[in-house]
Amino acid sequence: MNRQIKFRGKCVDNEDWIIGNLLITDNNPNDPFHSMPIRKQTQIVAYFPGDWGMGGWDCIDVSPDTVGQFTGRFDKNGKEIYEGDMVRIRENIGLENVGVVQFIDGCFFVMVEKSKTYTFRHALHIKNSVWKDMNANIPIEYEYEVLGNIHDNPELLNPIKPWPRPTRKSAHG
């Protein structure tokens, strides 16, 4: 695998963004027979340098709704792109769109809502493509720019809304 797998999430104590590895556990350490309902605990494991070279690893509780995976892509300014980011897509043929980065069906997409009835997915892994119309082949180059994210900048969501994740129905009902 050629990309770094890491996550970010907002700390529940101070709303700072924490970047590291995702850890989801049950938080019932003294209940071996699971007589109580299992409570999930979402944490980011990160290294903190500390003073005088005395740093170490720590597990930080984060809000599960804010957790997003790094896409492996950077925007035009070198900023990392994560799930939940609002991204502007510019094409060298003059088109521009804004959407939300989401992970759907094993791929990162920028979900762009053009109207209440028309939404399209732009695969984030695309760097360049060729648009074919009749006999013309026009190379298209994409440029991405992170504008903010849906957690810190909810005002950017209007009128764009995240694509609803499909729910799987049980075979029994």
Side-chain angles (χ1 to χ4, degrees):
M1 188 171 293
N2 294 334
R3 70 178 181 89
Q4 187 176 16
I5 307 287
K6 60 183 175 179
F7 295 83
R8 74 170 180 198
K10 274 191 137 180
C11 178
V12 294
D13 294 334
N14 58 15
E15 301 254 331
D16 286 344
W17 285 102
I18 306 296
I19 296 174
N21 297 314
L22 182 63
L23 177 65
I24 299 175
T25 60
D26 66 37
N27 194 17
N28 296 7
N30 297 323
D31 187 18
F33 299 107
H34 297 292
S35 58
M36 298 175 14
I38 294 175
R39 291 174 292 156
K40 295 290 182 189
Q41 183 174 5
T42 304
Q43 298 176 321
I44 299 285
V45 180
Y47 181 82
F48 297 94
D51 295 330
W52 303 295
M54 302 287 288
W57 293 90
D58 200 1
C59 295
I60 308 296
D61 290 330
V62 295
S63 173
D65 296 340
T66 65
V67 173
Q69 186 176 357
F70 175 51
T71 64
R73 297 286 313 229
F74 296 87
D75 75 352
K76 69 177 190 170
N77 301 314
K79 186 173 183 180
E80 296 176 337
I81 301 176
Y82 285 85
E83 276 182 276
D85 280 344
M86 295 292 299
V87 175
R88 176 182 291 126
I89 308 164
R90 285 195 179 113
E91 300 175 9
N92 64 335
I93 60 172
L95 297 176
E96 183 176 304
N97 291 296
V98 175
V100 179
V101 176
Q102 294 186 352
F103 187 74
I104 302 172
D105 298 331
C107 184
F108 290 103
F109 290 97
V110 179
M111 303 304 294
V112 179
E113 183 177 304
K114 299 305 277 183
S115 68
K116 292 185 186 264
T117 58
Y118 175 62
T119 303
F120 75 88
R121 300 179 185 186
H122 173 84
L124 190 60
H125 67 275
I126 294 176
K127 293 182 182 177
N128 299 312
S129 68
V130 175
W131 178 59
K132 297 183 177 184
D133 183 15
M134 303 291 251
N135 294 323
N137 290 336
I138 301 172
I140 301 174
E141 295 178 3
Y142 300 98
E143 177 182 85
Y144 304 101
E145 180 182 11
V146 175
L147 303 175
N149 65 65
I150 61 174
H151 310 290
D152 290 338
N153 313 99
E155 69 277 3
L156 294 176
L157 274 176
N158 198 4
I160 301 164
K161 295 182 176 50
W163 189 261
R165 292 189 179 207
T167 56
R168 296 179 189 233
K169 294 187 178 179
S170 152
H172 302 290

